[in-house]
Structure formats: C-alpha cells, structure tokens
Amino acid sequence: MRTLIVTAFVSVDGVMEAPGGEAEYRNTGWTFKDIDFDPAAYEIKGREQEETTALLLGRTSYEAFAPVWPTMDDFAGYNAMPRYVVSSTLTEDDSRWPATILRSVDDVAKLKETEGGPIAVHGSATLGKSLADAGLVDRYHLLVFPVLLGAGKRLFSEADKDKTMLKLVECDAYPNGVQKQVFEVVR
C-alpha cells in the first residue's frame, strides 16, 4: 500500500490558507512577509520531491498551481511525476499540467492500493481534511510558522470523530522561529 503524505505550511493555530500570496485572503503571503527566509527550514520540501512518486491535489489547489508550477524549475520533480486531482465538478484537466481526475475519497483509497511510492498532498485544505477523516493519511510533513492568523482554512478537520494518535518522527526548529514537524499516523 502506498503512503499518503499531507504536507503543509501552517500557522501555530493551524491555518494553512494563502501562504504564498494568493489573492483575496487578508493574511495572504504570511510565510514570507514577516518571517525571515531560512533555506534550512525548506530542506524537507526538496526531500519530498525526491521521495514522493505522485502528487495529489484538490480542485482549488490544482487550478491555482496548474498555471504556475509547470514553469518553475524548483518544482521539476513534481512536474515530471503523475498528478491526480480530486474533484466532483472538474470536467477536464488543465493541458498545461495534465492530471488524472479522481471523483472521490474512495478513488484515493483505490489509488493507495496500487503499486508505487509515496503520494504527496500539497495545499488542498478541504481534501486533506476529507482524507484524514477517512483514515487515509499516513504521515504529516508540517512547517509550523510562528504566527497566529485567527481566521482561514485550517489543516485539521473539526469533525466529531475518535482521536488520532500521531508519532513524532522528525523535528527541528530554525532561527526564524519555523518548526519542522513530521508525524506518522499511529494505526
């Protein structure tokens, strides 16, 4: 069974919305506007591209990334690997960044059962919550930024469900206050 990794930039209060400067969010760009850049904190991002073999996105993230990521040398690994987008409404993929459309979390469960290496989920707050609620997430790669954002899309679901135990398998703190936290989901 393939490993499903949710990777995210989050504030201390769990908000993951608009870290890179997306429009129409009051705190847009919070990962770089007020926090000094430390390349060491982003080492895990390069490692993710080397270790994962497929990319899984929700529709909103896919539509935001498709016009941009194919032109970015920093994402060459992701641009070369298979991509999947989960959407019940998307009628066709973006020809600039082709992807296979999956219609449900059940389709993701079937994808996990196929041969291959880890699958990374970037951004995709709604999808990440649905995957966690369905018990499909195996690992979290988090860069936690030293900021409280209050409002915004959060990484974790507020569904009334049994607790999920996590095992911290890697962590580090950087001079700019960012913390790397890698958790495996305990089954």
Side-chain angles (χ1 to χ4, degrees), residues 37-114:
F37 178 75
D38 184 342
Y42 294 90
E43 173 275 335
I44 192 167
K45 297 314 208 176
R47 194 166 16 123
E48 287 170 352
Q49 279 192 80
E50 294 170 8
E51 294 175 354
T52 57
T53 60
L55 188 58
L56 178 66
L57 300 165
R59 181 195 49 81
T60 302
S61 292
Y62 176 71
E63 289 176 340
F65 296 169
V68 180
W69 279 31
T71 64
M72 298 180 73
D73 292 337
D74 289 344
F75 300 128
Y78 290 126
N79 292 330
M81 68 180 64
R83 287 173 296 282
Y84 301 88
V85 58
V86 180
S87 173
S88 61
T89 60
L90 197 63
T91 56
E92 60 184 41
D93 66 333
D94 187 316
S95 62
R96 295 171 292 185
W97 210 45
T100 300
I101 299 172
L102 305 177
R103 293 296 178 198
S104 68
V105 172
D106 290 338
D107 289 342
V108 176
K110 291 174 188 169
L111 175 64
K112 277 190 68 172
E113 293 174 4
T114 63

Side-chain angles (χ1 to χ4, degrees), residues 138-142 166-169 181-185:
D138 300 297
R139 194 173 349 149
Y140 290 96
H141 290 186
L142 308 178
L166 304 174
K167 177 182 178 185
L168 183 65
V169 295
Q181 301 173 358
V182 176
F183 294 98
E184 287 183 356
V185 175

Side-chain angles (χ1 to χ4, degrees), residues 148-185:
L148 299 172
L149 296 174
K153 293 179 183 175
R154 296 186 185 277
L155 174 62
F156 298 106
S157 170
E158 294 183 27
D160 184 10
K161 60 180 187 140
D162 291 339
K163 69 181 172 197
T164 300
M165 296 299 296
L166 304 174
K167 177 182 178 185
L168 183 65
V169 295
E170 184 180 343
C171 65
D172 211 338
Y174 304 96
N176 62 358
V178 173
Q179 295 178 22
K180 172 179 62 179
Q181 301 173 358
V182 176
F183 294 98
E184 287 183 356
V185 175

